[in-house]
Amino acid sequence: MAEAPASQGALAGIRVIDLTRVLSGPFCTMLLGDMGADVVKVETPGEGDPVRGQGVIRDGLSWYFASFNRNKRSITLNLRTGDGRAILADLLREADVLVENFRPGVMERLGFGRERLDSINPRLVSCSINGFGSAGPYADRPAFDFIAQAMSGLMSVNGPPGGDPLRTAPPLTDLVAGLYAAFGITAALQARTRTGRGQQVESAMVNGMLSMFAYLSAEYLATGRLPQRTGNDHPILCPYGLFHAADGEVAVAPANETILRRFLGVLELSWILDDPRYDTNEKRTARRPELRALVDQRLATRQRGEWIELLNAAGVPCGRVMNLAEVFEDPQILAQEMVIEVDQPGHGPVRMTGFPVKLDGTPCSIARPAPGLGEHTAELLAELGRDEAELERLRAGGII
Amino acid sequence: MAEAPASQGALAGIRVIDLTRVLSGPFCTMLLGDMGADVVKVETPGEGDPVRGQGVIRDGLSWYFASFNRNKRSITLNLRTGDGRAILADLLREADVLVENFRPGVMERLGFGRERLDSINPRLVSCSINGFGSAGPYADRPAFDFIAQAMSGLMSVNGPPGGDPLRTAPPLTDLVAGLYAAFGITAALQARTRTGRGQQVESAMVNGMLSMFAYLSAEYLATGRLPQRTGNDHPILCPYGLFHAADGEVAVAPANETILRRFLGVLELSWILDDPRYDTNEKRTARRPELRALVDQRLATRQRGEWIELLNAAGVPCGRVMNLAEVFEDPQILAQEMVIEVDQPGHGPVRMTGFPVKLDGTPCSIARPAPGLGEHTAELLAELGRDEAELERLRAGGII
């Protein structure tokens, strides 16, 4: 494709060398690319990111790969060769950011340990995304989302009451680690404007997930009591949760007494709060099935959509449990442009999720679709001043 | 307490005016404060952030509040008064960032719409964290994590096979929106170094969560087939999931054929891959209970800890399902300093989660504990040049 226009995004002018693969790292560099950074994805010749071959393939294209690798250029480099490593060093000399999600120690074995990186480019912000962090007894362990969910405590709090610990379906520990990495890198770029120097950033899947427990971790640390799995019920608020209207479920979250009054008011059940059986949260929680029946009985008199309008108008947080088909057709999701179509040359339009954080002055945008394997190898090597004869030599040697 | 030493963090020199309350916003400004920003938390006189009164209170202190409001100063301001709003304008004049998590429209009603903010301080990065985004049919709806989980599709994919849609216990949509906001703000600060201007950043809970579905959304958009709830089983890989050693559960994630070979090799079950009943993933998935029994039978011969050592040494991602008590005592979590103690004057040490993303040149740190309500009102008003007589007047008028 033709050269993309100069980026106007927040991170315009920032060059990212991306050694990552699969999910946590590519998600991080996608976020940076969406913000206008120039992301150069370094892949193994003839092989590339394994996600190129994963998920549903349509006309030779993995939509999973396409959605997490938009806004990137691809160069193939065999980093097991001296020539390949020399080209990587040249790329890093001109770059602002390096991101990798190898196991700790791999960069050192490739000859790109901390000191070497610093000598190549002292302004480089170098980020490692890994499972457990690079220090500590588990540093060398292979990581995977399911294991990070197990070891961060997430599975222990997720699940129906009385059931087993449960994985959350999306690979959240990968995505959270990628997002923390993007934040850490951008903060380090901000520090560089003051110090003139780059630094090392590290984001670990278990650490990131553990930071997301909010009151669950605070309560445990304050009391030593373990949180129980409560499914859709709130541990200490009632009524709260999933209820049943005439045509389906409604999620309702009366998070405090004021909102609970509004909720019961709309349902014409205000008497509940004056009834000695139900006049405290504690009593209501102890009689949850009775309360649920009272609420369901009222909700059964109208359609779900009507209740949602009435309750929202009264300031009661509520909504439908939507599946992905409903989400991706929802008027709010469409108004927020959370589904976008990217024209993938040779494949036609690919639908993917949009930009989760919006900036109005330097908005996120799609400057280019996901690259073919090595699509920009010649272009990038030309930028480094390598001529056609050199490219031939590198190609013949299996280096690019 | 004494004035904290000048910050050496990545965001040193950045002043954040924080109008947020409860969770998504305070989490965002905590992340900025951990990075060295000077965060000024603006609270309602005599009331403050409702989280001050939530969760377990020990010696008058909510540990939940303490952990999400470290590294902040507190000023009380009644924004319903002209004097209060004038002080806020003065604060914004000297600030770099404003963060609020009101419903869309509230800032306009307070007299701090976009144009006014721009006229007060054109370099200000202003961030709104909300439920659904400020444009679209649901913009005015009240938001709450449970509802955002329902409406983002998260509940529809979470849960045991055959069971109901399930909330994930931690309030993830709040935390993800707060983290995206911190990333967006930092990117906007980077843009400002180039453009000289601030801009508007927006992070919505539903949008943020929807961006975290990875292959689940890619597969749905590519095929129109809804993902099924599969609990701890992988939809298309087997064996994979929770298995049983002699003394408890082990999570094992053989995410590809190479790792599966290693796993079955350690178990001395390599024959499985050559058996015509089990020699493809499809066949194995169809015979999941048989495979599970074969694996469990082998695992029952040793303790969990032994298997975890053996499997990790062979490069098989695996680990224990840990509850929060185990997590917070885990040697890796301790080595990563993911539990820290903050001395809260008058209360003693408060334990909380540490820093999820690590920077080695400008590390995160605790410059100050969570503030008392209005603890820094006098100090901050003095910085704005208001004298003691003025403070008396503001106090008497209920403005601070």
Side-chain angles (χ1 to χ4, degrees), chain B residues 228-248:
Chain B
Q228 300 302 302
R229 289 186 288 278
T230 62
N232 291 322
D233 291 327
H234 195 288
I236 55 163
L237 292 175
C238 176
Y240 179 110
L242 279 190
F243 301 95
H244 298 85
D247 60 339

Side-chain angles (χ1 to χ4, degrees), chain A residues 9 58 114 132 135 137-138 150 165 167 194 199-200 202 207 222 232-233 322 330 332 336 358 360-362, chain B residues 9 58 114 132 135 137-138 150 165 167 194 199-200 202 207 222 232-233 322 330 332 336 358 360-362:
Chain A
R58 279 179 61 169
R114 297 286 311 289
F132 304 98
Y138 310 159
R167 176 180 71 109
R194 208 174 63 246
Q199 58 180 309
Q200 175 76 16
E202 186 167 286
N207 294 352
N232 291 322
D233 291 327
M322 299 206 280
D330 188 77
Q332 183 67 25
Q336 287 286 310
K358 319 280 192 195
D360 77 340
T362 57
Chain B
R58 281 179 60 167
R114 297 286 310 288
F132 304 99
Y138 311 159
R167 177 180 71 110
R194 208 174 63 245
Q199 58 180 309
Q200 175 75 18
E202 185 167 287
N207 295 351
N232 291 322
D233 291 327
M322 300 207 278
D330 188 78
Q332 183 67 23
Q336 288 286 310
K358 319 281 192 195
D360 77 340
T362 58

Side-chain angles (χ1 to χ4, degrees), chain B residues 184-251:
Chain B
I185 288 166
T186 317
L189 289 172
Q190 177 68 22
R192 192 179 71 169
T193 63
R194 208 174 63 245
T195 65
R197 293 190 62 83
Q199 58 180 309
Q200 175 75 18
V201 175
E202 185 167 287
S203 174
M205 293 157 72
V206 169
N207 295 351
M209 202 68 239
L210 182 56
S211 77
M212 297 245 153
F213 281 74
Y215 52 83
L216 296 172
S217 49
E219 299 294 281
Y220 170 72
L221 290 170
T223 66
R225 285 195 302 270
L226 286 173
Q228 300 302 302
R229 289 186 288 278
T230 62
N232 291 322
D233 291 327
H234 195 288
I236 55 163
L237 292 175
C238 176
Y240 179 110
L242 279 190
F243 301 95
H244 298 85
D247 60 339
E249 286 171 327
V250 185

